[in-house]
Amino acid sequence: MLCEEIKDDVFGLLTDESSDVSQKEQMAIVVRYVEKCGVVKESLIGGAHVNNPSSATLKEAIVSLLSNNQLSIDEVRGQGYDGASNMQGKFNRLKALILRDNPSAYYIHCFAHQLQLVTVAVAKIKKTGVKEFYEYLGMVVNTVGASCKRKYMMLELKRKRVEYEILLAEIKSEKD
């Protein structure tokens, strides 16, 4: 259903690979796209076991997974990875291999990976309230994210807040 919604449209790729508990290299592939109602979504489209974490092997796995879901590497408009050398290097790394096939697949460093590492480290400190904060945050995100109506309400509230802050000169508009 997800791939049917994206079909013939552009999307971004977020990819990460690591070894699982049995020491097998696994790669997860997430697509980032805009729904018909204008909401940006990120969804896991699959994972792949890769015998070798080389850039060429990772690219083959991505192309294969996209193809199996009737998606094409030609429609990728963004790619994001962590800082691993096999991912973001300039010449023969995953980023470069995909850019050779599709110059419109711009690379963005995946800071979400760094944020996740920080979150895990903070949670391990076992400070009071950290766990509860993330539980509540998850509930809010799920509640708002489940409804286009709620998303539009949140966007409208944000728009009004920005207009108000511009009037107070707390923030500047592009015209200033």
Side-chain angles (χ1 to χ4, degrees):
M1 193 168 99
L2 160 76
C3 294
E4 187 61 36
E5 186 170 353
I6 301 172
K7 194 173 186 177
D8 300 325
D9 208 349
V10 296
F11 57 93
L13 281 178
L14 301 170
T15 305
D16 197 9
E17 50 87 22
S18 65
S19 50
D20 64 14
V21 293
S22 65
Q23 299 304 309
K24 290 184 179 178
E25 287 290 329
Q26 301 290 328
M27 179 175 58
I29 301 170
V30 171
V31 291
R32 183 179 172 111
Y33 64 100
V34 179
E35 279 184 320
K36 302 294 182 221
C37 64
V39 177
V40 177
K41 299 272 294 209
E42 287 181 359
S43 297
L44 177 72
I45 63 164
H49 168 70
V50 287
N51 292 329
N52 166 356
S54 73
S55 304
T57 304
L58 296 175
K59 182 184 175 220
E60 286 175 26
I62 290 170
V63 169
S64 175
L65 186 62
L66 291 175
S67 177
N68 291 342
N69 288 285
Q70 292 81 44
L71 297 173
S72 169
I73 198 85
D74 296 333
E75 303 307 320
V76 174
R77 292 301 179 265
Q79 49 179 322
Y81 316 112
D82 62 13
S85 62
N86 63 335
M87 301 292 232
Q88 71 166 356
K90 276 187 174 180
F91 300 107
N92 291 316
R93 303 304 183 213
L94 183 59
K95 170 185 101 171
L97 294 177
I98 290 176
L99 278 169
R100 276 187 210 137
D101 290 347
N102 179 355
S104 298
Y106 296 100
Y107 169 76
I108 299 167
H109 183 82
C110 184
F111 289 103
H113 179 72
Q114 292 173 347
L115 177 61
Q116 188 260 346
L117 293 174
V118 169
T119 303
V120 169
V122 169
K124 285 182 179 176
I125 296 171
K126 298 181 182 177
K127 293 284 184 192
T128 311
V130 172
K131 179 182 176 202
E132 290 82 9
F133 169 77
Y134 283 106
E135 286 174 352
Y136 286 121
L137 181 62
M139 287 187 272
V140 169
V141 168
N142 288 337
T143 301
V144 172
S147 163
C148 286
K149 183 178 178 180
R150 288 189 199 109
K151 288 176 196 168
Y152 290 133
M153 287 171 56
M154 295 298 290
L155 287 171
E156 182 62 17
L157 287 170
K158 181 180 179 183
R159 184 188 64 76
K160 287 178 181 178
R161 189 184 76 233
V162 168
E163 280 179 357
Y164 180 72
E165 290 175 357
I166 289 172
L167 285 172
L168 295 177
E170 291 180 3
I171 59 174
K172 293 185 183 268
S173 70
E174 289 181 8
K175 295 177 184 176
D176 292 340

